Amino acid sequence: MPQGQVAVVPQDGLTTRQRRNRPLLVVHTGEMKGKSTAAFGMAMRAWNQGWSVAVYQFVKSAKWRVGEENALTALGRLHAETGEGGPVVWHKMGSGWSWSRRQGTEVDHAADAVEGWAQIKRDLAAEAHRFYVLDEFTYPLKWGWVDVDDVVETLTNRPGTQHVVITGRDAPQALVDAADLVVEMTKVKHPMDAGQKGQRGIEW
């Protein structure tokens, strides 16, 4: 799209402004690193617009505090103190969702994934946030913990102007088909191919 020119102007009855501001369903998938990183970069742009940002982090260990979590929660505190940007909430499945406070109990990951998706559905119905990151959400879908058809229907029919970004490998085809923007991260080269492990400031 050179100089921001679209290739097609659909006959959908929308004005250019209405079409531009239509909320997006975005999927970052593929085998290569960078899917979550790109999503969190979009979340920072959303915060800068004053939007409410919600992150739901599936699968990853509750003990792993990624750099983006520190950065975005700090931005949330800045908003609370100064009004700059927008509010930020960050939920982790691995520690027991923050609203259920089940830390320390035997973790049933499948049940936790279902509970997380149920809360997302409630938030979407209430238009609680403007921008959502469902990080690593493709895995509960792939493993059958969360129903793909329910996810696609809910996201397709979500109200208002809520943007949703989903990350993770092996995105289901139905989700890819429903999305407005799909990126597949592919590897050209990686430091691990030369025996170099992940490092501070790059991977976390």
Side-chain angles (χ1 to χ4, degrees), residues 106-165:
E106 185 67 25
V107 175
D108 180 343
H109 292 298
D112 283 348
V114 170
E115 183 178 344
W117 170 239
Q119 181 62 39
I120 292 165
K121 289 180 69 174
R122 289 190 290 267
D123 284 352
L124 289 168
E127 299 183 51
H129 307 286
R130 185 77 183 274
F131 189 92
Y132 298 75
V133 176
L134 312 188
D135 188 39
E136 311 281 18
F137 189 50
T138 61
Y139 300 107
L141 299 178
K142 177 183 178 181
W143 298 330
W145 295 352
V146 176
D147 183 68
V148 175
D149 291 338
D150 182 39
V151 169
V152 169
E153 180 180 0
T154 299
L155 295 178
T156 300
N157 296 307
R158 68 194 186 281
T161 55
Q162 301 176 98
H163 300 273
V164 179
V165 182

